[in-house]
Amino acid sequence: MSSRRMAAITGSLLTASFSAVLLLPHSAVADDQGPASSKGGKAVDEAPAGVKLSTTLPSRISVDNSSQKTAITATVKNDGSKDSGDIQLLVVGFDGLKVDDVKGCSAIAKKDLPEGSNSGFSCPVGSLAAGRSKSYAVDATYDLGKAGKICLPVKSADGKKTFWQQGPVPFGTTNPSPNAPATPLLLGTDNKPVGPSGDQLPRTGAGRDVLPLGAAGGALIAAGAAGMWWTRRRPQG
């Protein structure tokens, strides 16, 4: 076989292999989640002097339309000048968004979940150094036939104080795409459910971003730390 023919065959094989790589499907939940956002978050109880705690969620997630699975990155950070002391991060799902697992965290017993939530995990962060952050990989299921919200409270290790709370803040879209491989959802957007009854979805209310957890006095015993789940309302004005 001539060297010219051998080169031609080799080139064809490389082209076919490259094309096959391009055609490989990608996971819907592995899409770029966009910039992190603290949308729907606010400070609640006063943190120790020099400590400034907050959380962020991705600005968008992607839900696999066949499995209803999605992945979310939850991050807690300390933008202050001093170490935070022992804290914990809670990751809680509401309505159509169910938290299936959070790497390195413990599931909250159903009886200890805040009113209205369907799932939750407690993450022992420990002491977060000044200027540092810690991220958690969240596996979730999203029912596109419903609205879906997530909440990230940052609490003291004993659960008595809530230094920061993001949410419950919705992920959703006003233009669902049930026939596509995946549906992108934006943070802070009420979901318009897929199906004929989508237009009948009740509104979640103007105050959804500041909905306090435990307003009905429900107690939460987080795994590994006992405490009361509560978020006191700030006085008006």
Side-chain angles (χ1 to χ4, degrees), residues 16-25:
S17 299
F18 182 69
S19 299
V21 170
L22 291 179
L23 293 175
L24 287 175

Side-chain angles (χ1 to χ4, degrees), residues 26-47:
H26 64 278
S27 172
V29 300
D31 292 342
D32 178 21
Q33 295 190 334
S37 172
S38 59
K39 184 180 182 67
K42 66 172 185 175
V44 186
D45 292 314
E46 185 176 359

